[in-house]
Amino acid sequence: MRGDIDGSASQDQEVHLPSYGEALRVWIKIGLLSFGGPAGQVALMHKELVEERRWIDEERFLHALNYCMLLPGPEAQQLATYIGWLLHKTRGGLTAGLLFILPGLVSILGLSALYASYRDLALVTALFFGLKAAVLAIVVEAVLRIAKRALKTRFLFAMALLAFVAIFCFDVPFPLLVLGSGLIGLLTNRFMPRSFPAPNAAQVHTQRVSVVDRMAERGLLAHTKPNLARTSSVVAVCLALWAAPLGLLAYFGGSDSVFFQEAIFFSKTAVVTFGGAYAVLAYIAQQAVEVFHWLNPGEMLDGLGLAETTPGPLIMVVQFVGYLGAFRQPGALSPALAGVLGSLVTVWVTFVPCFLWIFSGAPYVEAIRGNRALHAGLSTITASIVGVILNLSLWFGIHVVFRDVEERHWGLLKMPWPVLDSVDLGAALLAGTAMLALFRFKLGLPLTLALSALLGVLWKI
């Protein structure tokens, strides 16, 4: 296929409008290969959809990605939903979004069942011992990567530091932190606008004609035009689908059942996951471990290791949490059946909102592009998320390197405090090795995970 299109009549022949069946095969491929977190997943979609097939041009791809990054939830899955919707309307969006989730759902469900039933086996314990060290290195790398991108001014750096202190030392709830950061950003933009970098409205343009360009020329993108009646219908349907499990679980199991608690809790996290999975994991970990007692800190790290090594969004770690929580509080069900139900309920309430944001908001996305106030609020939230992820890395690090961790209080201050003589030398060495592999030798995520798992087995043996 030629690199550039010269605007001649041959464009129509070169730009092939894919059928739904063709798109289905591509979305299956992307779903199966969606390893490496959001950066790797977005890169994969760019290669498949922009470079190789020209289904969407660079400018529109970046436009869609920018919108998805404004939303709570996994941006790569939402980007797939957005592009699928552009190409084949609601059916295409549902297909792309669901196939992006399905491989990870099946993988983590099976691994969660094995973990819950056989985690006491020496080999399984050793594998997860090594994975924990790699997870710590990955989270530290996420802090550095996001900080470099987000902290462009002194004000934003100060907001990151303030957020870290608020959540690590004073246990400020994550949703309150997000809301407060956004409000501070709006007020600061009003009185001190130079505290923020200018919005980057520039897009990378290309002369290559895409499928979506051709669809626009032929009047095939009418479904992307804002329509209040259609938006109202989408919102009503998605809210009903979101709320239906809550009502059924409350009716059949009561509001005290673990299934209802998981549905409510993960519905709340679904609307505050700005900044990706790493940002909200600290909140999920603290609530799941310290409030609901669904699992312990080490198991939370194990779940993150599973999510890192399977395809799909990293936020799929919530499926592992949902499985273990229900497995241990099964009620009248068998533990295995309860785990499956808890896992599926968690995934449902986590991802139904993702489709709501895209199907209801995408037609209006152009109206918010380049808005200075919105840019300021989101920049401040992103800066605060750096502090939240720093808290997560420190929280994970303490629980990886020390076997015993206490919670100490000094007035309003409340923070985890390691018992110094409980240090785990093997865990500390493995964590250091994983960081060297990732930062110094640039081995990449898959090799670092594999190396850490192997060293964990060798250390335990």
Side-chain angles (χ1 to χ4, degrees), residues 412-430:
L412 295 176
L413 272 71
K414 182 178 75 171
M415 63 180 68
W417 196 265
V419 178
L420 297 181
D421 59 3
S422 70
V423 64
D424 188 329
L425 181 61
L429 290 174
L430 282 178

Side-chain angles (χ1 to χ4, degrees), residues 18-265:
S19 67
Y20 175 76
E22 290 176 276
L24 176 64
R25 290 189 288 273
V26 173
W27 292 122
I28 290 173
K29 177 182 178 181
I30 289 174
L32 292 172
L33 298 177
S34 58
F35 295 90
Q41 292 157 359
V42 170
L44 172 65
M45 281 190 281
H46 187 275
K47 177 176 179 292
E48 293 286 337
L49 305 177
V50 178
E51 298 175 13
E52 295 189 1
R53 291 176 173 81
R54 279 191 288 164
W55 286 0
I56 184 171
D57 61 273
E58 183 87 10
E59 181 179 358
R60 197 181 289 265
F61 183 89
L62 292 175
H63 182 80
L65 177 59
N66 287 341
Y67 173 58
C68 294
M69 292 181 70
L70 302 179
L71 300 172
E75 63 264 29
Q77 186 267 347
Q78 291 169 336
L79 178 61
T81 305
Y82 191 113
I83 297 174
W85 167 78
L86 275 176
L87 293 169
H88 294 105
K89 305 182 181 180
T90 302
R91 178 176 68 160
L94 287 172
T95 299
L98 291 173
L99 288 175
F100 199 90
I101 301 166
L102 190 59
L105 185 152
V106 173
S107 301
I108 293 182
L109 181 59
L111 291 170
S112 298
L114 290 172
Y115 182 90
S117 300
Y118 301 105
R119 66 163 303 204
D120 292 332
L121 292 178
L123 179 61
V124 175
T125 301
L127 282 170
F128 280 98
F129 176 74
L131 285 176
K132 289 176 188 177
V135 168
L136 177 58
I138 291 165
V139 175
V140 170
E141 192 266 342
V143 175
L144 298 175
R145 184 182 68 249
I146 297 174
K148 183 178 180 180
R149 186 181 66 197
L151 307 184
K152 302 289 189 182
T153 66
R154 292 181 180 179
F155 167 75
L156 295 176
F157 185 88
M159 284 300 304
L161 183 60
L162 180 63
F164 169 75
V165 172
I167 198 167
F168 185 80
C169 300
F170 296 97
D171 201 23
V172 174
F174 181 74
L176 183 60
L177 192 63
V178 169
L179 179 61
S181 298
L183 291 175
I184 290 172
L186 293 175
L187 291 172
T188 304
N189 177 67
R190 182 176 180 84
F191 298 105
M192 295 185 296
R194 293 186 180 180
S195 299
F196 302 95
N200 182 17
Q203 298 288 340
V204 178
H205 292 273
T206 177
Q207 296 180 353
R208 302 180 70 191
V209 176
S210 72
V211 165
V212 175
D213 292 328
R214 280 284 172 252
M215 292 176 67
E217 291 174 5
R218 298 173 186 177
L220 301 178
L221 292 181
H223 62 285
T224 67
K225 306 300 182 184
N227 183 300
L228 185 58
R230 184 172 58 211
T231 301
S232 300
S233 299
V234 167
V235 171
V237 169
C238 289
L239 289 179
L241 290 172
W242 194 356
L246 303 180
L248 291 172
L249 292 170
Y251 179 79
F252 288 105
S255 59
D256 293 331
S257 73
V258 66
F259 308 108
F260 183 77
Q261 291 176 345
E262 288 180 344
I264 290 290
F265 174 67

